[in-house]
């Protein structure tokens, strides 16, 4: 449960940024970098290596603590988590799409290394990759926000790129043994694991 909850924190943290960008047009630079860096760490040996370190996941762990402790009031966030988990199930069953996504990520790896994973060109390319692949699967992940920002192509592209990072975390969550039912029914166990990381 300890490693599993790190992947879940990465997922929630990325989706919180999706919400923030959709509402304000701006992401938190450090949290965005953690999410986008994780996309390129395809062969990382552990969840900690995917995100850099546990400290980078503190915002996501805090969100999980609040959610599982019933003090988090954002109703959209858990809905987005469930939607991305369901999307991930469809995605991993589609071998052709999996190859296309991995190929698209690898094609941007050099640019990400040279300019940074959050460079507008890299984000635009990953946003397009999401639009051409995962956005065609059902259920579609519906993001609500400020129409002023969601009417801007650059913001929509950034939202899609961060959703790609969220799916990356959902895949990792599954690889670590997590499931949709764990998220819904094992709140107490997950909360204990979250608190261990936050207090450790």
């Amino acid at each position: 449960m300890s490693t599993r909850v790190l992947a879940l924190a990465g997922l929630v943290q990325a989706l919180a940024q999706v919400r923030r960008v959709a509402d304000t047009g701006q992401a938190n630079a450090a949290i965005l970098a953690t999410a986008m860096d994780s996309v390129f760490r395809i062969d990382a040996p552990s969840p900690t290596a995917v995100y850099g370190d546990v400290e980078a996941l503190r915002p996501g762990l805090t969100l999980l603590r609040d959610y599982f402790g019933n003090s988090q009031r954002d109703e959209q966030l858990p809905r987005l988590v469930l939607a991305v988990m369901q999307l991930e199930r469809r995605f991993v069953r589609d071998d052709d799409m999996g190859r296309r996504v991995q190929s698209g990520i690898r094609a941007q790896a050099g640019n990400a290394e040279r300019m940074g994973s959050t460079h507008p060109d890299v984000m635009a390319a990953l946003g397009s990759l999401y639009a051409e692949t995962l956005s065609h699967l059902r259920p579609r992940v519906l993001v609500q926000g400020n129409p002023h920002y969601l009417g801007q192509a650059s913001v929509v592209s950034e939202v899609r790129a961060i959703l790609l990072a969220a799916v990356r975390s959902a895949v990792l969550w599954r690889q670590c043994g997590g499931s949709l039912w764990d998220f819904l029914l094992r709140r107490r166990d997950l909360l204990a694991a979250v608190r261990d990381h936050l207090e450790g």
Side-chain angles (χ1 to χ4, degrees), residues 2-14:
S2 178
T3 54
R4 197 179 305 178
V5 87
L6 294 178
L8 189 58
L11 171 56
V12 171
Q13 191 164 297

Side-chain angles (χ1 to χ4, degrees), residues 79-114:
R79 281 185 204 147
L80 282 173
V81 170
L82 293 174
V84 169
M85 285 183 177
Q86 289 172 299
L87 179 68
E88 182 268 345
R89 290 284 43 176
R90 301 269 158 78
F91 170 59
V92 296
R93 293 186 190 124
D94 189 329
D95 291 340
D96 179 56
M97 187 175 288
R99 281 191 290 272
R100 284 168 64 197
V101 169
Q102 195 161 114
S103 167
I105 291 169
R106 291 192 191 283
Q108 286 301 313
N111 288 338
E113 199 164 320
R114 194 168 61 255

Side-chain angles (χ1 to χ4, degrees), residues 105-134:
I105 291 169
R106 291 192 191 283
Q108 286 301 313
N111 288 338
E113 199 164 320
R114 194 168 61 255
M115 302 184 293
S117 65
T118 61
H119 188 279
D121 291 353
V122 176
M123 297 286 285
L126 293 180
S128 295
L129 179 62
Y130 182 92
E132 292 159 10
T133 54
L134 286 146

